[in-house]
Amino acid sequence: MNNSRLHSPAGVSLTDKACVEHHDTAEIIALIPAAGIGSRMKSDCPKQYLNIAGKTILEHTLAALLGHPRIQRVIIALNPADTQFAQLPIASDPRITTVIGGEERADSVLAGLDFLAGLPTDRTIWVLVHDAARPCLHRNDLDSLLRLVDDNAKSPDICGGLLASPVRDTMKRMVSSSAEDPSTIPPPLIAHTVDRNGLWHALTPQLFPLQLLRDCLNKALADQACITDESSALEHCGYRPLLINGRADNIKVTQPEDLALAEFYLSRKAKESIV
């Protein structure tokens, strides 16, 4: 087998087993970074614990993951000061393990990966990283993403991917400002219109082999690269994850106005599951 894709130009050295494993011997584990405080929600409560449709956002998110037969367990990276998760009924589910997260998303993901790397196992672990505040994940999208594990057995060059949605709106680039004093920052002006052809909204879950993701994330952090999601860590190391077309209603609850929209999508999802 050609190992050229397993030794990236950025210097991440991996074994064949890190990317090649038949799906019947691979273990899929979900990882949820949930250590954030959700400051943009303008709420005293971290956004993952806000209630919509009768449950917290995090409970909806966990239900979507634990409801899939190929996901054996879920690791949740919590804020060290978190006292709310333990009070949720779902916290007693034996498939859930919590770890202490970090200040940034990448730190929380790495904490979960380090925990998983220490587990005794003779199976390759694929890690499915999902935002705590994306409660509207559909089963068919999850099925499409998890097929990457099967596809990897046929084509070892496929080392993971992410759900994504093509950009539909006109995109504008803002004129950058060099002003250091916030009071002198000019109003946002358009620099130019960005060609949306080929642009995608990155969603979650994002799915990669444990060792590959862990090595790339460590490398990217050591290089002080801009890491906004797990895929960007792999991209930094020379890999090209696959884009899996996902539903646009897989929204991330970030702003207060997102709550009503998420509740609408969840109610519609519940009706679809009954039909």
Side-chain angles (χ1 to χ4, degrees), residues 15-263:
T15 63
D16 289 359
K17 191 177 179 181
C19 279
V20 182
E21 189 74 32
H22 292 288
H23 69 84
D24 58 348
T25 58
E27 184 174 5
I28 298 171
I29 299 178
L31 170 57
I32 300 179
I37 59 173
S39 58
R40 284 177 289 180
M41 282 299 298
K42 300 177 182 179
S43 170
D44 295 334
C45 175
K47 61 186 177 182
Q48 60 266 29
Y49 295 120
L50 295 175
N51 277 275
I52 55 174
K55 295 181 180 179
T56 63
I57 292 174
L58 181 55
E59 286 176 293
H60 287 292
T61 300
L62 286 168
L65 297 172
L66 291 172
H68 198 286
R70 293 186 68 178
I71 298 176
Q72 288 83 13
R73 64 189 302 180
V74 178
I75 310 300
I76 308 176
L78 297 174
N79 190 293
D82 187 301
T83 59
Q84 293 172 275
F85 179 74
Q87 300 174 28
L88 300 178
I90 202 168
S92 61
D93 191 306
R95 295 170 292 176
I96 295 176
T97 301
T98 62
V99 298
I100 299 300
E103 293 186 6
E104 303 294 336
R105 174 195 176 92
D107 299 321
S108 292
V109 171
L110 192 56
L113 297 177
D114 287 345
F115 170 80
L116 290 174
L119 295 179
T121 181
D122 56 357
R123 305 170 69 189
T124 290
I125 295 175
W126 284 69
V127 182
L128 187 84
V129 184
H130 189 48
D131 295 326
R134 284 192 193 270
C136 304
L137 176 64
H138 277 254
R139 171 68 175 269
N140 54 351
D141 274 4
L142 194 49
D143 286 339
S144 296
L145 184 62
L146 292 179
R147 288 193 193 102
L148 290 178
V149 180
D150 306 339
D151 294 341
N152 168 267
K154 305 171 187 175
S155 177
D157 282 349
I158 298 176
C159 286
L162 62 150
L163 290 180
S165 175
V167 170
R168 302 171 182 175
D169 301 315
T170 297
M171 305 297 290
K172 304 290 185 181
R173 173 72 66 184
M174 185 183 72
V175 175
S176 60
S177 172
S178 59
E180 296 183 0
D181 183 355
S183 64
T184 63
I185 296 178
L189 301 174
I190 296 174
H192 60 271
T193 299
V194 178
D195 183 5
R196 68 186 175 196
N197 184 41
L199 293 181
W200 292 64
H201 294 287
L203 310 174
T204 68
Q206 303 192 4
L207 177 68
F208 303 102
L210 167 61
Q211 195 58 49
L212 174 62
L213 178 56
R214 186 169 178 243
D215 286 351
C216 287
L217 192 54
N218 273 315
K219 170 68 174 171
L221 291 174
D223 292 344
Q224 298 184 329
C226 180
I227 303 301
T228 55
D229 65 355
E230 292 64 54
S231 176
S232 57
L234 271 82
E235 296 161 35
H236 175 75
C237 294
Y239 292 89
R240 294 184 178 180
L242 286 174
L243 293 166
I244 306 299
N245 201 332
R247 296 175 59 125
D249 58 4
N250 180 14
I251 65 169
K252 184 178 182 180
V253 178
T254 304
Q255 307 288 351
E257 58 266 29
D258 297 332
L259 290 169
L261 186 57
E263 185 162 13

Side-chain angles (χ1 to χ4, degrees), residues 136 138-140 247 249 265-275:
C136 304
H138 277 254
R139 171 68 175 269
N140 54 351
R247 296 175 59 125
D249 58 4
Y265 285 146
L266 285 169
S267 63
R268 191 176 66 177
K269 179 183 174 184
K271 292 178 182 178
E272 290 174 355
S273 64
I274 295 175
V275 175

